[in-house]
Amino acid sequence: GIIGKTGSGKSTLLDILMCLLKPTEGSISIDGNKLAENNYKYWQSMISHVPQKIYLFDSSFAENIANKIGLDKLDMQKIRKAAKRSYISEIIESSLNGFLTKVGERGLKISGGELQRIGLARAFYKDHKILILDEATSALDNRTEDLVMKSLYEAKDDITLIIVAHRLRTLKKCDQIIELKDGVINWTGTSNAFFNLKNDSNDFE
């Protein structure tokens, strides 16, 4: 779990972890192996990134979840499974044409919470080993967020979750919390220790 006030460096840290920015000094090691030019692409190939703002194209739910155009190229069984895990399947199936329903340019026909759930379904569809959530549940109500996070944590033995959030409740089951302040790591430790420090506050502003 990564937390910090606006401007504390959370997005920069994620960009460095995803090799979108290179460290100006020092290095990053994954299980003792340094990230370098010769293995950047391999590392990136294992990452699914779900940003706060999801871009959708004017096509069907199915094509947006798979992030590709052309129904002949889609694995519908895998798409349905991803939609179910992100708790968007009932909404999709109740729409006029189900998974073939058009979402509108940039998802104009659906809500912000539904957009984020499609973003999560897209990540589930990719089925990568590392899942980075950058405020990816901020538009969800508490109940839906709890259901989505439960689905994520149930799979945590198979994937590594890196979660950026303002709502502390989103991070309660994280093994490790990193707090950023003014561009540096201000605190790191277990979630239990962190929540004891914050006295059960709900938000980190």
Side-chain angles (χ1 to χ4, degrees):
I2 300 174
I3 203 156
K5 294 181 179 179
T6 301
S8 62
K10 301 187 297 297
S11 294
T12 300
L13 177 58
L14 290 186
D15 286 345
I16 291 172
L17 285 174
M18 293 187 288
C19 300
L20 301 177
L21 288 176
K22 295 180 182 179
T24 54
E25 59 183 66
S27 62
I28 301 174
S29 293
I30 310 297
D31 294 333
N33 300 307
K34 281 190 178 181
L35 284 182
E37 294 281 356
N38 66 329
N39 56 25
Y40 279 170
K41 288 187 177 179
Y42 174 71
W43 170 246
Q44 289 172 329
S45 72
M46 294 192 290
I47 297 173
S48 288
H49 175 225
V50 186
Q52 184 174 2
K53 294 182 179 179
I54 305 297
Y55 176 79
L56 301 184
F57 39 88
D58 188 13
S59 192
S60 66
F61 280 111
E63 289 167 301
N64 272 288
I65 289 173
N67 204 24
K68 61 177 70 173
I69 296 290
L71 296 175
D72 58 318
K73 303 175 183 178
L74 305 184
D75 183 338
M76 288 305 301
Q77 183 177 353
K78 194 174 177 183
I79 287 170
R80 291 179 189 277
K81 182 179 178 181
K84 189 173 182 180
R85 287 189 66 191
S86 61
Y87 290 87
I88 190 70
S89 59
E90 286 188 13
I91 293 171
I92 294 174
E93 288 169 359
S94 65
S95 62
L96 184 62
N97 295 307
F99 280 86
L100 302 183
T101 302
K102 297 288 184 71
V103 302
E105 186 68 31
R106 300 194 180 188
L108 289 176
K109 296 180 181 179
I110 60 178
S111 70
E114 290 164 0
L115 267 170
Q116 287 195 329
R117 277 180 276 180
I118 290 173
L120 289 163
R122 187 179 282 174
F124 287 138
Y125 183 85
K126 290 178 181 176
D127 198 27
H128 289 165
K129 291 294 184 182
I130 300 159
L131 180 54
I132 296 178
L133 307 181
D134 187 1
E135 296 284 358
T137 59
S138 60
L140 303 183
D141 60 78
N142 287 344
R143 179 180 176 278
T144 303
E145 183 185 40
D146 287 345
L147 289 171
V148 169
M149 295 309 297
K150 182 175 182 291
S151 177
L152 285 167
Y153 287 127
E154 284 174 349
K156 73 176 184 176
D157 290 338
D158 298 317
I159 60 175
T160 296
L161 293 172
I162 300 173
I163 307 170
V164 172
H166 273 92
R167 288 189 288 200
L168 296 183
R169 65 196 306 280
T170 310
L171 305 177
K172 280 200 169 183
K173 291 188 178 180
C174 289
D175 300 306
Q176 192 86 356
I177 302 288
I178 296 171
E179 182 185 4
L180 296 176
K181 184 177 180 181
D182 299 328
V184 299
I185 293 176
N186 183 56
W187 188 92
T188 183
T190 65
S191 58
N192 285 339
F194 183 78
F195 282 97
N196 286 335
L197 283 175
K198 296 302 174 183
N199 295 318
D200 295 324
S201 172
N202 290 320
D203 298 288
F204 194 88
E205 299 297 343

